[in-house]
């Protein structure tokens, strides 16, 4: 497998809310934007994100797996979703992806700085900006379900530790190969 280094790349996070009328055409537009700007654009459901550390950990682990040739997905964006979702299988990783309707979103944009700037400007035009990445109690049910966090775990550590339990799930993606 070809080794690729992503270290000189710029990474930006764009967060807010959006209404997706039809998912397939929307994903097609994202793909076209990605190609046009020569960047990677990966969208995730921000209601299943437990904060900045969760996203950073998923990005770092995905880039490392691509660099080391231990990746499961051939696409960095999909590999990021695998880690961010806490799921080993690519098909299961889409459980943290975009859906139709109104939703809170987080877009991860990766590429050369000028290209990322242009892509972020294009994305920003269709997003109502708001801070949707940090963990909040309103995300608890979605996150507990996404990461299969048990009542016993919550009893043992408390609800305030949910972001740490998510980080544990992200780390376990590598272990559960």
């Amino acid at each position: 497998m070809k080794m690729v280094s992503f270290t000189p790349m710029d990474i930006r996070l764009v967060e807010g809310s959006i209404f997706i009328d039809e998912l397939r055409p929307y994903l097609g537009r994202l793909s076209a934007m990605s190609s046009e700007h020569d960047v990677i654009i990966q969208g995730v459901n921000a209601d299943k994100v437990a904060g900045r550390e969760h996203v950073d950990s998923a990005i770092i682990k995905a880039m490392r797996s691509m660099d080391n040739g231990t990746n499961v997905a051939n696409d960095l964006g999909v590999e990021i979703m695998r880690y961010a979702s806490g799921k080993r299988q690519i098909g299961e990783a889409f459980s943290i992806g975009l859906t139709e309707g109104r939703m809170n979103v987080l877009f991860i944009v990766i590429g050369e700085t000028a290209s990322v700037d242009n892509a972020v400007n294009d994305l920003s035009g269709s997003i109502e900006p708001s801070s949707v990445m940090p963990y909040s109690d309103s995300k608890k049910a979605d996150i507990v379900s996404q990461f299969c966090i048990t009542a016993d775990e919550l009893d043992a550590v408390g609800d305030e530790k949910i972001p740490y339990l998510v980080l544990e799930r992200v780390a376990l993606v590598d272990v559960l190969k």
Side-chain angles (χ1 to χ4, degrees):
M1 185 164 286
K2 184 179 173 188
M3 302 275 269
V4 180
S5 177
F6 294 99
T7 50
M9 298 290 181
D10 189 10
I11 301 169
R12 302 272 182 81
L13 304 177
V14 179
E15 58 184 313
S17 63
I18 192 168
F19 182 84
I20 299 174
D21 188 30
E22 294 181 65
L23 185 59
R24 189 173 298 270
Y26 184 79
L27 293 176
R29 289 191 299 276
L30 279 181
S31 180
M33 186 186 305
S34 178
S35 294
E36 175 187 343
H37 296 295
D38 193 28
V39 296
I40 293 165
I41 301 173
Q42 186 59 61
V44 298
N45 180 341
D47 290 336
K48 296 181 178 182
V49 170
R52 178 67 188 246
E53 197 172 356
H54 172 195
V55 175
D56 288 346
S57 179
I59 293 168
I60 290 166
K61 288 180 180 310
M63 290 179 141
R64 186 178 305 136
S65 74
M66 298 295 276
D67 281 344
N68 295 336
T70 58
N71 51 301
V72 173
N74 292 326
D75 177 89
L76 177 59
V78 175
E79 192 73 358
I80 290 169
M81 278 187 68
R82 275 189 347 97
Y83 284 97
S85 69
K87 308 291 184 195
R88 165 93 175 112
Q89 300 297 320
I90 292 171
E92 293 176 1
F94 292 110
S95 63
I96 200 169
L98 303 178
T99 58
E100 290 179 353
R102 176 145 307 276
M103 69 180 302
N104 291 324
V105 295
L106 172 67
F107 289 102
I108 302 162
V109 184
I110 303 172
E112 298 297 328
T113 300
S115 298
V116 168
D117 287 342
N118 292 330
V120 166
N121 286 337
D122 280 358
L123 274 173
S124 296
S126 64
I127 297 172
E128 297 168 28
S130 60
S131 179
V132 296
M133 191 174 13
Y135 177 76
S136 65
D137 286 340
S138 66
K139 293 182 174 189
K140 179 182 174 183
D142 285 335
I143 289 177
V144 165
S145 174
Q146 173 68 37
F147 295 94
C148 304
I149 297 171
T150 67
D152 287 342
E153 286 177 288
L154 292 176
D155 287 345
V157 300
D159 288 0
E160 67 276 1
K161 299 292 186 189
I162 288 174
Y164 297 106
L165 294 172
V166 169
L167 287 174
E168 177 181 66
R169 298 311 199 274
V170 171
L172 286 173
V173 170
D174 281 331
V175 175
L176 300 175
K177 289 184 176 180

